[in-house]
Amino acid sequence: EVGSIIGKKGETVKKMREESGARINISEGNCPERIVTITGPTDTIFKAFAMIAYKFEEDIINSMSNSPATSKPPVTLRLVVPASQCGSLIGKGGSKIKEMREVNKLKFIW
């Protein structure tokens, strides 16, 4: 799926970098999962992250054009967070993660 983000000759990721203003780096390798690192101010990171999610959603919709499925599957992105910062995301007694799940209708798997 990372090829979708990269695009032909890197054109898609180049456009995402320019439009978001974030630095987007995609790890090398032939493994099933590659790491996409997004760096910059919060607003540019958010914009780049959203662009990637929308690109995956677009790919899902395009792949379903000849499918009898009536509902599209969810887009899944994994966010790797340093262990030292996980506590601030989880919050006391899980309060922060619960709030994020409820407010944003997100599914977090630890």
Side-chain angles (χ1 to χ4, degrees), residues 2-98:
V2 79
S4 170
I5 298 170
I6 297 169
K8 290 182 182 174
K9 298 183 182 178
E11 288 298 317
T12 303
V13 73
K14 181 180 176 186
K15 183 179 176 187
M16 287 180 181
R17 287 174 180 139
E18 290 170 357
E19 289 183 14
S20 69
R23 184 172 177 264
I24 303 171
N25 183 48
I26 301 169
S27 69
E28 297 290 329
N30 298 338
C31 58
E33 293 185 341
R34 306 262 296 271
I35 297 172
V36 178
T37 305
I38 307 171
T39 308
T42 304
D43 59 328
T44 64
I45 292 170
F46 181 77
K47 188 170 184 180
F49 197 81
M51 291 173 81
I52 292 168
Y54 286 131
K55 178 63 176 139
F56 284 155
E57 184 176 59
E58 177 185 305
D59 292 348
I60 289 169
I61 291 168
N62 289 338
S63 71
M64 291 179 63
S65 61
N66 295 325
S67 170
T70 56
S71 64
K72 65 180 179 197
V75 173
T76 300
L77 298 173
R78 289 188 179 95
L79 182 62
V80 179
V81 178
S84 62
Q85 295 182 354
C86 285
S88 64
L89 284 178
I90 297 169
K92 189 172 183 175
S95 62
K96 279 288 182 195
I97 195 76
K98 182 180 178 186

